[in-house]
């Protein structure tokens, strides 16, 4: 049997050491103390006349036995030499107990005796090791609870009552209390409760002390519940270990009473033995004022011997408040409580323990009895009628409130140990919660508050055993009372809301509600209902913000903070795996393999929740068309492809939201399938231990009873069969159940239909139901009870529709208890975040709405901060679970409160912003979210950018937020060629990045304020300065620039949305002049867009298309220079500069984008040409090695070529070109021709000094070495085919080079023209390393040399006065002709076109000989041409080219040659071919064109001649 272990106990005073306890001095101290207490009692007794005289009996003088016993104690106590614990406590306690029991002692004497006993108990004179301690403790309890005394005055009477309370409490707290029996503990509790009751008519002090003592008793008793040994309780209805005969031999337990009288009064004990034949059981009760069937108090007159006056006292009769308000007028109602508390001995609610167990040391049995009694106090009002003098409100509130306080104390101290005691747990599961649910909570906020406290304690300690009870409490109590539409007062709503918020603050509460209830298809969606309640309660509707609204918001945020607290605990998934149902399974009765392993129960309940949602959709389809609804459920695999009655019945029974009219029609249909469904539907109910009327109520709450009699009959037949199967005690067969059910329906209609005038009486009802029970009558009491139940409580045949909150009825409660036996185990949530995604998806929308509305209506900063905390928490969860839509909603909601989007003037906006704490907090929060959780912002970027632009327009954005970011990025970039690239933006660009000029900036505004008229009050400027300072600090806290500089850490989707937001915010540029404000917006957007582009070089492909198109729109739509196009052009150049080294695969695309610069309007291009060229130069110098494609170089050289004729940009352009061509390291086959063309344009350009053109010519000339090098490399490293292809390309490049020279050779400037001719000669004669085909040389002669000579001849003949010193140019040109011809002679002599070529050469010499410059022939030419011709002829002769009858057509060549030679110098033929035929010395060309005799060519020619 469960009992308190002996070692437990509460130490009231400090325990003496053991050696002291056995020492002589310690024993002597105890003896002296007891002696002193006896003396004190004797002294008080002697003050009374009655005790101060001696009674005479003959010659002897007799003393009263009370005095004699005390004197005897004083005489004997000093003679006790044994150890103290071996002395029987009865020896020194009995004299005091006799005084307490005596009817003749007055209140002062009794009080002193009680005090003496109290001292003995509190000083631990008696402990569990004392001999005969059990009898001693029981004697103390019996004496104190049976205390009798004469009342001399009210004050002394109250003192005695207080002493009684002290002694009883000391008994329980004594070390020896473990020896008290269950019965005595119950007596102690009952006695204290009686004093609490009687104290209602006494002083407030006594009332408070008695209640406090009652609480202490309960706390002490139940604090030992964890120490109780876990043993099976032997109950009367269980296994009794002691026979009835043994109990009788042990003696019957008598009722113990406290008698508090002037003559005699008493308080009956809580427990008394009631004998019915051979059945013994315990009856809980109170006396006539609050007892269950006890005799009435004895109240009468008493003569006060001290005052000599007679007075009359009646306890409790005049009390008007508190517990004492229960008067004898209510005695008839109290009898009803007795009947309810005792029950019938065979009822399931009866909890009688075996009497033998009540005599054992106290433990679980007394706790069960006490707790059951406390629960019965909760419904005492419903059984007690109101007397004429009773204070109804006080009584209704005080009795349950006091009981609730005691119950709460018991639960607090019993805690989880209650789970190990089935009887206590059963009381809590059924009786306690049933009473809590049925309390009239709406009348008393105090009661509701205490009920909620009990519910919270039960959740903490016993929630695993109270799954459905907690669901019912929150559904039927909290949800109803927290809403005004159900009739609750504001105070009640506030208390209910406070309780709900307290629950929300428990970390696991909402998670467990969701997991256990919302994910259970047979339970309500408590989590969703509570969240909806909180969100709706937080939103003011046509009223100012109140504490209720803030409280509801606190609840929502508490739930959100709970989710935040679990974010770092693992198992956080961006989005749980979707639930797929591929086939139908019987899910209504499915169980999880393990409710303790999250890896199993999490997917299980998520699947259940998914099914529950789909069932709700199916219910909606069913309500529109039942047939189509069932088909829909079959299509979603929630019903089998071939319908079976059981699955349809479960759907109709457990799915919420179904139209109950349609359910009734479906169940009442006559087709075979519907009848089978009806049968299965009825079998889903558990009617065990339920009365017929309650069973019928429960059935008819699930659907509307059809109106047709046949349908009604089918429904009632199925019901009757099920009811009789489970409750056959009274009814003979199912037909009896059917007939009686019909009769109840008829009675219900008769009693509650207003159109029925003549109502059925009880006798009529009984008469109508004769002989229906298998030919016999039903018991009259049974029918009478049914009749009165129907009369009192109508059976609603039209149940409530929709999703409202119904009332908790008796039938619903019984059904709940049955359901609790088969419901799934309660899932305990840990700190994992497995369900947070699903929960947050449900509550995020309502939560954001609630926070937004409260923030809008709030006026206090602490509420502002609460809302801000809520926003940040929602944002954090959204980011953690990748709920981008939710995060966007947070951003949109917050941006409304920044006031930055409100149209107003600049000054007004700045001042208003600085004075608006809400706006500043919202602004900081928006940018905090953007910086922390930008990865998961999508469309919200547009709202954030609107705020950024507004700050910019107000002059509040840091002046260089974009450019500083770009510079920082550049400084952190990798150095190129050992040199870090500095900012590429020119000063004009930098200047344009400052705040728009029309805004003077913060310091400018401060200066304006300081310069105000001196006569104005100083407070105004000071306030404005303070507002500006607050504004400045707020913007600094926003870290706006970090959004863009740290954009490299954003996820791709978020980055793309940010870029698109900037493009949209900038707007589409229009041709022509736009508004300055629009242009400023476009400028800052472009700067920020370029910033994020530069910071995301690794993801440029993601951004490039949008950025390029935006810049292209700007460039192509701008016709005049402006800041916007400036930012576009230079931004594009900066992007190319930064990205070319890292994005080789994008190099062509980047460089192609620079062609936009070529499309600039002429006026725009002219305005920025120099800066553009400088940027292009920087780009080339930094990235020349990264530009490899023809297209890329074409773009670069095109940009550089344009600058050749621009006075400001030419220098920078040529500098870039020089970098490319100077040493040939950056010349490539891909860019060679392009660079040559660009150099030619600089050579031809008249802008600047001629030295630049000369230098350009030199670049062209020096570049031929690159061709030779490439040709050589090709021969060494490539195959024949590749080498041939490259040689062909090199030939084309060489031809382009010399063609370029041809054009420059016609330049008006002498130095340029001559240098070009010399460079051309170098290119034509210095190509030994380049293998050029004959046809290419012929093209060169035709396209370059001959054309150039002809053009120069034409210029010279044309009297062009702009050309100075043409004679020298002509000399150089003709020498070039001769030299190139002679060098190529061996290779082209055998060519078929040689004759034509030779004619071209000799004819040009002839023309140059005859040319007249400024009207006269030039002497130098007259000398030079014949000499050149002579040498040419000699070489041709030596090579055997010019001979008579030559194989190559000598006659023809010979004749043609001499025809032309004779025109030039007739004597040359004789000189070259003398008649003697002697050899002539062969001459080699020197620098003037002559051939010296010592050259090898002479020998070769001589050898050939031989």
């Amino acid at each position: 049997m469960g009992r308190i272990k002996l070692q437990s106990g509460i130490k009231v005073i400090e325990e003496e050491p053991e050696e002291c306890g056995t020492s002589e001095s310690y024993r002597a101290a105890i003896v002296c103390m007891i002696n002193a207490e006896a003396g004190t009692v004797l002294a008080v007794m002697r003050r009374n006349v009655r005790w101060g005289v001696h009674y005479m009996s003959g010659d002897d003088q007799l003393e009263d036995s009370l005095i004699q016993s005390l004197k005897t104690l004083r005489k004997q106590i000093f003679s006790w030499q044994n150890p103290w614990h071996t002395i029987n406590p009865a020896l020194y306690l009995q004299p005091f107990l006799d005084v307490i029991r005596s009817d003749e002692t007055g209140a002062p004497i009794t009080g002193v005796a009680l005090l003496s006993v109290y001292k003995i108990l509190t000083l631990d004179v008696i402990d569990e090791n004392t001999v005969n301690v059990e009898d001693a403790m029981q004697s103390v309890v019996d004496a104190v609870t049976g205390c009798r005394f004469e009342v001399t005055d009210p004050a002394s009477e109250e003192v005695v009552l207080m002493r009684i309370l002290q002694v009883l409490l000391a008994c329980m707290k004594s070390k020896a209390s473990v020896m008290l029996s269950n019965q005595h503990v119950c007596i102690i509790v009952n006695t204290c409760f009686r004093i609490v009751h009687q104290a209602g008519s006494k002083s407030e002090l006594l009332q408070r002390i008695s209640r406090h003592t009652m609480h202490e008793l309960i706390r002490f008793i139940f604090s030992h519940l964890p120490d109780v040994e876990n043993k099976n309780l032997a109950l009367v209805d269980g296994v009794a270990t002691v026979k009835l005969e043994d109990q009788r031999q042990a003696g019957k337990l008598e009722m113990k009473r406290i008698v508090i009288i002037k003559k005699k009064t008493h308080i009956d004990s809580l427990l008394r033995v009631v004998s019915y034949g051979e059945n013994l059981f315990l009856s809980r009760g109170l006396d006539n004022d609050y007892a269950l069937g006890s005799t009435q108090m004895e109240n009468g007159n008493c003569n006060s011997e001290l005052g000599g006056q007679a007075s009359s006292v009646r306890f409790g009769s005049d009390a008007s408040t508190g517990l004492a308000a229960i008067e004898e007028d209510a005695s008839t109602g109290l009898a009803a409580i007795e009947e309810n508390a005792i029950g019938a001995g065979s009822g399931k609610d009866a909890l009688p323990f075996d009497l033998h167990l009540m005599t054992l040391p106290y433990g679980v049995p007394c706790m069960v009895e006490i707790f059951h009694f406390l629960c019965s106090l909760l419904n005492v009002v419903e059984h007690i009628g109101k007397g004429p003098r009773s204070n109804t409100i006080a009584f209704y509130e005080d009795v349950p409130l006091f009981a609730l306080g005691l119950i709460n104390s018991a639960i607090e101290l019993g805690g989880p140990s209650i789970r190990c005691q089935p009887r206590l747990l059963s009381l809590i599961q059924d009786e306690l919660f049933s009473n809590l649910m049925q309390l009239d909570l709406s009348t008393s906020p105090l009661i509701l508050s205490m009920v909620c406290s009990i519910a919270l304690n039960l959740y903490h300690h016993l929630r695993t055993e109270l799954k459905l009870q907690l669901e019912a409490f929150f559904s039927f109590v909290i949800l109803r009372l927290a809403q005004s539409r159900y009739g609750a007062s504001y105070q009640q709503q506030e208390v209910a809301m406070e309780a709900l918020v307290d629950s929300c603050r428990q970390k696991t509460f909402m998670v467990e509600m969701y997991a256990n209830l919302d994910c259970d298809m047979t339970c309500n969606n408590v989590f969703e209902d509570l969240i909806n309640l909180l969100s709706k309660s937080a939103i003011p509707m046509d009223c100012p913000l109140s504490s209720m609204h803030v409280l509801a918001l606190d609840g929502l945020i508490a739930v959100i903070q709970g989710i935040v607290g679990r974010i770092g605990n693992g198992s956080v998934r961006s989005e749980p795996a979707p639930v797929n149902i591929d086939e139908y399974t019987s899910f209504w009765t499915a169980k999880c393999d393990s409710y303790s392993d999250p890896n199993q129960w999490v997917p299980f309940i998520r699947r259940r929740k998914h099914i529950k949602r789909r069932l709700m959709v199916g219910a909606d389809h069913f309500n529109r068309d039942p047939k189509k609804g069932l088909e829909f459920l079959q299509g979603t695999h929630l019903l089998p492809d071939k319908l079976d009655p059981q699955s349809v019945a479960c759907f109709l029974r457990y799915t919420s939201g179904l139209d109950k009219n349609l359910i009734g029609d479906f169940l009442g249909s006559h087709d075979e399938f519907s009848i089978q469904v009806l049968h299965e539907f009825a079998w889903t109910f558990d009617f065990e231990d339920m009365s017929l009327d309650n069973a019928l109520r429960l059935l008819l709450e699930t659907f509307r009873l059809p109106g047709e009699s046949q349908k009604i009959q089918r429904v009632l037949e199925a019901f009757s069969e099920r009811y009789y199967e489970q409750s056959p005690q009274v009814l003979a067969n199912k037909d009896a159940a059917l007939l009686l059910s019909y009769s109840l329906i008829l009675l219900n209609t008769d009693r509650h239909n207003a159109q029925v005038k003549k109502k059925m009486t009880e006798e009529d009802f009984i008469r109508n139901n004769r002989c229906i029970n298998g030919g016999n009558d039903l018991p009259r009491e049974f029918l009478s009870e049914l009749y009165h139940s129907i009369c009192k409580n109508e059976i609603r045949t039209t149940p409530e529709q929709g999703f409202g909150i119904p009332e908790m009825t008796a039938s619903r409660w019984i059904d709940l208890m049955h359901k609790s036996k088969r419901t799934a185990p309660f899932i305990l949530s840990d700190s994992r975040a497995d369900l947070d995604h699903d929960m947050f998806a449900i509550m995020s929308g309502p939560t954001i709405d609630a926070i937004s509305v409260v923030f809008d209506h709030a006026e206090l900063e602490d509420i502002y901060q609460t809302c801000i905390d809520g926003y940040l928490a929602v944002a954090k969860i959204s980011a953690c679970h990748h709920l981008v839509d939710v995060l966007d909603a947070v951003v949109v909601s917050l941006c409304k409160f920044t006031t930055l989007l409100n149209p107003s003037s600049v000054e007004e906006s700045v001042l208003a912003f600085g004075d608006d704490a809400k706006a500043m907090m919202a602004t900081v929060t928006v940018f905090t979210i953007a910086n922390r959780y930008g990865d998961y912002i999508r469309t919200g970027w547009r709202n954030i950018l609107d705020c950024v632009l507004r700050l910019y327009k107000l002059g509040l954005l840091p002046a260089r937020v974009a450019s500083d970011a770009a510079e920082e990025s550049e400084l952190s970039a990798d150095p190129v060629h050992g040199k870090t690239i500095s900012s590429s933006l020119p000063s004009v660009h930098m200047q344009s990045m400052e705040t728009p000029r029309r805004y003077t900036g913060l310091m400018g505004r401060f200066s304006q304020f300081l310069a105000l008229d001196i006569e104005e009050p100083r407070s105004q400027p000071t306030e404005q300065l303070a507002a500006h300072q607050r504004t400045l600090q707020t913007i600094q806290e926003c870290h706006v620039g970090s959004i863009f500089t740290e954009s490299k850490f954003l996820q791709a989707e978020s980055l793309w949305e940010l870029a698109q937001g900037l493009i949209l915010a900038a707007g589409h540029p229009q041709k022509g002049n736009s508004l300055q404000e629009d242009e400023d917006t476009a400028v800052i957007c472009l700067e920020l867009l370029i910033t994020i582009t530069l910071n995301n070089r690794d993801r440029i492909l993601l951004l490039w298309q949008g950025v390029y198109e935006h810049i292209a729109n700007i460039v192509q739509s701008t016709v005049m220079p402006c800041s916007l196009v400036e930012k576009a052009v230079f931004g594009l150049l900066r992007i190319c500069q930064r990205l070319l080294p890292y994005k080789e695969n994008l190099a062509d695309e980047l460089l192609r984008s620079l062609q936009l610069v070529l499309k600039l309007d002429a006026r725009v291009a002219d305005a920025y040409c120099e800066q553009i060229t400088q940027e292009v130069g920087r780009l080339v110098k930094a990235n020349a090695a990264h530009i490899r494609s023809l297209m890329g170089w074409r773009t670069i050289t095109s940009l550089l070529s344009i600058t050749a004729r621009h006075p400001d940009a030419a220098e920078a352009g040529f500098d870039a070109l020089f970098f490319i061509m100077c040493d040939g390291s950056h010349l490539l086959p891909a860019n060679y021709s392009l660079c040559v063309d660009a150099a030619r344009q600089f050579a031809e350009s008249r802008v600047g000094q001629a030295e630049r053109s000369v230098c350009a010519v030199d670049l062209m000339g020096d570049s031929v070495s690159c061709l030779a090098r490439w040709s050589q490399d090709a021969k060494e490293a490539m195959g024949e085919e590749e080498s041939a292809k490259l040689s062909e390309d090199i030939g084309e490049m060489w031809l382009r080079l010399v063609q370029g020279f041809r054009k420059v050779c016609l330049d008006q400037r002498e130095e340029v023209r001559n240098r070009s001719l010399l460079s051309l000669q170098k290119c034509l004669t210095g190509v030994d390393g380049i293998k050029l085909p004959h046809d290419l040389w012929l093209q060169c002669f035709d396209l370059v040399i001959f054309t150039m000579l002809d053009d120069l001849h034409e210029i010279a003949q044309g009297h062009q006065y702009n050309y100075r010193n043409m004679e020298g140019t002509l000399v150089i040109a003709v020498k070039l002709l001769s030299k190139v011809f002679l060098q190529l002679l061996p290779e082209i002599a055998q060519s078929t076109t040689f004759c034509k070529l030779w004619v071209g050469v000799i004819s040009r010499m002839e023309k140059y000989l005859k040319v007249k410059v400024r009207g006269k022939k030039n002497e130098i030419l007259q000398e030079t041409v014949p000499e050149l011709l002579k040498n040419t002829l000699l070489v041709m002769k030596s090579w055997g080219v010019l001979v008579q009858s030559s194989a190559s057509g000598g006659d023809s060549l010979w004749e043609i040659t001499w025809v032309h030679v004779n025109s030039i110098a007739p004597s040359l033929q004789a000189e070259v071919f003398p008649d003697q035929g002697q050899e002539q010395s062969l001459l080699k060309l020197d620098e003037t064109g002559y051939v010296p005799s010592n050259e090898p060519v002479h020998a070769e020619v001589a050898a050939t001649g031989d």
Side-chain angles (χ1 to χ4, degrees), residues 7 150 711 776 910 1051 1104 1152 1198 1245 1254 1294 1490:
Q7 62 266 28
E150 291 183 352
K711 291 185 177 182
N776 298 320
V910 173
Q1051 289 187 359
W1104 177 246
R1152 184 182 293 111
S1198 298
S1245 173
V1254 172
W1294 175 81
Y1490 294 98

Side-chain angles (χ1 to χ4, degrees), residues 1015-1274:
E1015 297 180 358
E1016 293 184 5
R1018 294 186 178 182
S1019 60
Q1020 183 68 16
T1022 303
E1023 293 175 358
Q1024 293 178 351
L1025 287 174
H1028 277 285
Q1029 186 64 31
R1030 289 191 297 271
T1031 300
L1032 184 62
Q1033 183 177 359
T1034 299
I1035 302 306
Q1036 186 177 4
E1037 293 174 1
C1038 291
H1039 303 290
V1040 179
S1042 298
I1043 296 175
F1044 308 98
T1045 59
E1046 301 300 319
S1047 61
K1048 56 178 171 285
F1049 302 112
L1050 290 178
Q1051 289 187 359
E1053 292 183 18
S1054 178
L1055 178 63
W1056 188 84
E1057 289 285 355
L1058 175 58
Q1060 291 300 308
L1062 285 169
I1063 293 172
L1064 290 174
H1068 189 76
Q1070 301 292 331
K1071 285 197 174 184
N1073 294 329
S1074 59
L1075 296 177
Q1076 180 67 27
E1077 183 176 355
D1078 295 337
E1079 182 182 344
D1080 292 339
T1081 300
V1083 167
I1084 187 63
C1085 288
L1086 180 59
E1087 288 182 359
L1088 297 176
L1089 182 62
I1090 293 171
T1091 298
I1092 65 171
T1093 304
L1094 294 176
N1095 280 279
N1096 288 274
R1097 66 189 184 197
D1098 295 331
R1099 298 183 290 180
I1100 186 62
L1101 291 175
L1102 178 69
L1103 302 174
W1104 177 246
Q1105 189 61 34
V1107 173
Y1108 172 76
E1109 291 178 358
H1110 181 60
I1111 293 177
N1113 288 334
I1114 295 174
V1115 169
Q1116 295 173 3
S1117 62
T1118 305
V1119 295
M1120 293 295 291
C1122 64
S1123 179
L1124 178 60
V1125 72
E1126 176 188 0
K1127 298 298 183 296
V1129 172
F1130 292 114
L1132 182 62
L1133 289 168
R1134 289 177 60 202
I1135 292 173
C1136 292
Q1137 287 179 32
R1138 288 286 311 283
L1139 299 184
L1140 276 176
Y1142 307 101
K1143 291 295 176 182
E1144 294 183 3
N1145 59 332
L1146 196 63
D1148 288 348
E1149 192 71 25
L1150 291 171
L1151 294 171
R1152 184 182 293 111
S1153 68
L1154 294 180
Q1155 294 178 1
L1156 290 174
V1157 180
L1158 303 175
K1159 300 177 182 179
L1160 286 171
D1161 186 272
R1163 289 165 290 187
V1164 176
D1166 183 67
Y1168 303 116
C1169 189
E1170 181 180 4
Q1171 293 88 347
I1172 292 173
T1173 308
Q1174 292 173 357
E1175 291 301 307
V1176 173
R1178 293 189 181 99
L1179 184 148
V1180 169
K1181 292 176 181 179
N1183 301 287
H1186 304 288
I1187 307 174
R1188 296 185 175 89
S1189 68
L1190 174 64
M1191 187 280 306
W1193 281 112
R1194 177 176 289 113
T1195 303
I1196 294 296
T1197 54
S1198 298
L1199 291 171
L1200 296 178
S1201 300
I1202 294 175
T1203 64
R1205 290 172 176 77
H1206 195 282
D1208 298 326
E1211 184 66 29
F1214 182 74
D1215 182 55
L1217 183 63
F1218 183 83
F1219 172 81
I1220 299 172
M1221 300 183 65
C1222 64
D1223 57 1
S1225 59
H1226 299 297
L1227 280 176
L1228 305 170
N1231 68 357
Y1232 182 85
S1233 298
L1234 298 171
C1235 291
V1236 167
D1237 288 342
R1240 177 187 58 78
Q1241 295 187 48
F1242 278 99
E1244 293 175 341
S1245 173
R1246 303 293 296 274
V1247 174
Q1249 299 296 324
E1251 287 80 1
R1252 183 189 302 149
S1253 297
V1254 172
C1255 185
V1257 171
D1258 292 340
L1259 289 177
M1260 295 173 65
D1262 294 340
S1263 68
V1264 73
S1265 62
C1266 292
L1267 298 177
R1269 184 176 71 249
W1270 295 339
S1271 180
Q1272 185 63 31
D1273 293 342

